[in-house]
Amino acid sequence: MYSITFKFEQKGLEPVTLEQVAPDQSLLEVALTNDIELHHNCGGVCACSTCHLYVEQGEDLVEEISDKEEDFIDRAVNPRLNSRLGCQCVLLPGKQGNITVTIPDQTQFLGE
Ligand code: FES
């Protein structure tokens, strides 16, 4: 089980921490099932960059980045070293720990 903290670049949004989050789901799925806004134009199949987020802590607790994901991150707004696509960050089974992510401002234009 995981503890996941979502932080937000959008002004006025306070961090949200979720406890007892089950593995085998993506950070995008976790966000959406908890009413946290995160764009997902392609439906979560690694074919856009709108679910872009930053993994601040716990990157070893999610599936490794693929070449295809890296290609799409290059098209995201303001990519950084810790950029990931939320739909590709599947929580690994058999592990536990804390994950902290920052979600870019969802009101800005996020590209394709
Ligand atoms: Fe399109 Fe994640 S939702 S790449």
Side-chain angles (χ1 to χ4, degrees):
M1 290 294 195
Y2 293 97
S3 169
I4 304 179
T5 299
F6 288 92
K7 297 178 177 180
F8 304 94
E9 290 191 337
Q10 189 178 332
K11 286 200 174 30
L13 294 184
E14 296 296 324
V16 174
T17 298
L18 307 170
E19 305 287 353
Q20 300 288 315
V21 180
D24 294 319
Q25 54 181 337
S26 70
L27 290 177
L28 172 66
E29 290 170 315
V30 173
L32 295 181
T33 55
N34 289 281
D35 293 324
I36 293 169
E37 191 179 355
L38 181 57
H39 293 304
H40 48 283
N41 287 8
C42 77
V45 295
C46 198
C48 71
S49 60
T50 59
C51 65
H52 174 222
L53 48 71
Y54 305 107
V55 178
E56 316 286 358
Q57 180 193 356
E59 70 277 358
D60 53 333
L61 301 176
V62 299
E63 263 181 30
E64 281 184 23
I65 194 167
S66 67
D67 290 345
K68 185 178 176 192
E69 183 181 347
E70 279 187 17
D71 285 346
F72 278 106
I73 285 173
D74 285 343
R75 303 179 212 176
V77 175
N78 199 13
R80 301 177 196 149
L81 282 177
N82 61 348
S83 286
R84 292 294 307 264
L85 298 179
C87 69
Q88 300 303 298
C89 292
V90 176
L91 303 171
L92 295 173
K95 294 198 177 199
Q96 58 183 9
N98 300 325
I99 298 171
T100 302
V101 305
T102 299
I103 294 185
D105 187 344
Q106 298 294 292
T107 65
Q108 70 185 353
F109 176 71
L110 291 171
E112 289 298 310

